[in-house]
Amino acid sequence: EVQLLESGGGLAQPGGSLRLSCAASRFSFSTYGMAWVRQAPGKGLECVSVITNSGGGRYNADSVKGRFTISRDNSRNTLYLQMNSLRADDTAVYYCAKISSGWLGDYFDSWGQGTLVTVSS
Amino acid sequence: QSALTQPPSASGSPGQSVSISCTGTGNDVGAYNYVSWYQQHPGKAPKLILYEVTKRPSGVPDRFSGSKSGNTASLAVSGLQGEDEAHYYCASYAGGNILLFGGGTKLTVL
């Protein structure tokens, strides 16, 4: 069974930075696209960043464009999300999700347990 | 792009059937058969229950089914059980690289 384990969440000040990690196991990590999906408290799901299996293609939602950078290290089976210029409305649980194929428009077939990011002074 | 539109709530009694709609536009739900549905229990991660409108992953009961007509996709749950009480989210490919989600529907089993 696919395992995705997020880490790196916590409290950050407005304007600050955090780096999230997602350790993947029990599947061929380098074969699949990956994504970060967030959920603000009491709200719905929002896909914020996706990356191709090779890492050569990276795309962000408008809400985080220019502030968040997704990356991956296929040698370490790890996905990252560098979050800069954090704002209060970035407060959310951030889920790492596996895309079901190498195509970024495909569905998310596995999810991590999530890591909470709180942006507050 | 705007989120897909779902009713905020739905309900049914045990054993009954319920349907949850997911309305988009001709640029997302109406244009592609790439609608997926996710179930989320409180405090838990989302779980895929349907993909490509009608397909069920292994292990998902056949009480869950999907359909699409025009710009609206639907999730149907038959033979409601207490464990079906959860939030349900639809998502659709919208021509770009970021999957578009609905706002979610809270299903209550009365």
Side-chain angles (χ1 to χ4, degrees):
Chain A
E1 185 182 343
V2 168
Q3 283 201 337
L4 299 168
L5 186 61
E6 301 96 335
S7 60
L11 178 64
Q13 292 199 334
S17 299
L18 276 178
R19 188 197 199 198
L20 306 183
S21 299
C22 172
S25 60
R26 302 185 183 178
F27 69 101
S28 178
F29 183 68
S30 62
T31 300
Y32 297 93
M34 296 293 295
W36 288 99
V37 179
R38 70 182 180 184
Q39 186 171 37
K43 302 297 184 182
L45 301 171
E46 178 191 19
C47 180
V48 295
S49 294
V50 297
I51 189 168
T52 59
N53 61 315
S54 66
R58 318 177 192 193
Y59 306 91
N60 284 341
D62 289 343
S63 57
V64 304
K65 205 162 282 185
R67 302 187 300 119
F68 289 12
T69 301
I70 188 172
S71 62
R72 64 192 296 163
D73 184 340
N74 286 346
S75 67
R76 296 177 182 269
N77 289 349
T78 303
L79 178 73
Y80 303 100
L81 185 67
Q82 178 66 45
M83 303 187 295
N84 298 332
S85 302
L86 283 163
R87 310 186 306 218
D89 63 358
D90 294 319
T91 294
V93 174
Y94 284 75
Y95 294 100
C96 166
K98 172 182 169 288
I99 298 173
S100 61
S101 70
W103 175 52
L104 296 182
D106 226 330
Y107 54 92
F108 303 130
D109 61 356
S110 297
W111 299 67
Q113 87 290 344
T115 187
L116 176 62
V117 171
T118 302
V119 183
S120 174
S121 55
Chain B
Q1 280 178 313
S2 300
L4 307 174
T5 300
Q6 297 182 235
S9 63
S11 62
S13 299
Q16 288 187 331
S17 298
V18 66
S19 180
I20 297 172
S21 62
C22 169
T23 301
T25 70
N27 295 320
D28 38 66
V29 175
Y32 309 99
N33 288 323
Y34 293 116
V35 175
S36 49
W37 289 89
Y38 304 86
Q39 177 191 62
Q40 186 180 34
H41 289 108
K44 300 294 187 182
K47 173 191 171 186
L48 175 72
I49 57 170
L50 289 173
Y51 64 98
E52 293 174 13
V53 180
T54 62
K55 298 178 181 178
R56 278 187 311 276
S58 173
V60 174
D62 60 6
R63 302 184 295 102
F64 293 91
S65 62
S67 63
K68 193 187 86 167
S69 177
N71 296 338
T72 298
S74 297
L75 165 69
V77 187
S78 61
L80 270 175
Q81 300 180 4
E83 65 203 50
D84 300 332
E85 185 160 298
H87 278 87
Y88 291 84
Y89 295 92
C90 64
S92 176
Y93 176 62
N97 295 295
I98 300 289
L99 214 61
L100 192 60
F101 280 97
T105 298
K106 182 177 181 180
L107 174 60
T108 301
V109 180
L110 302 170

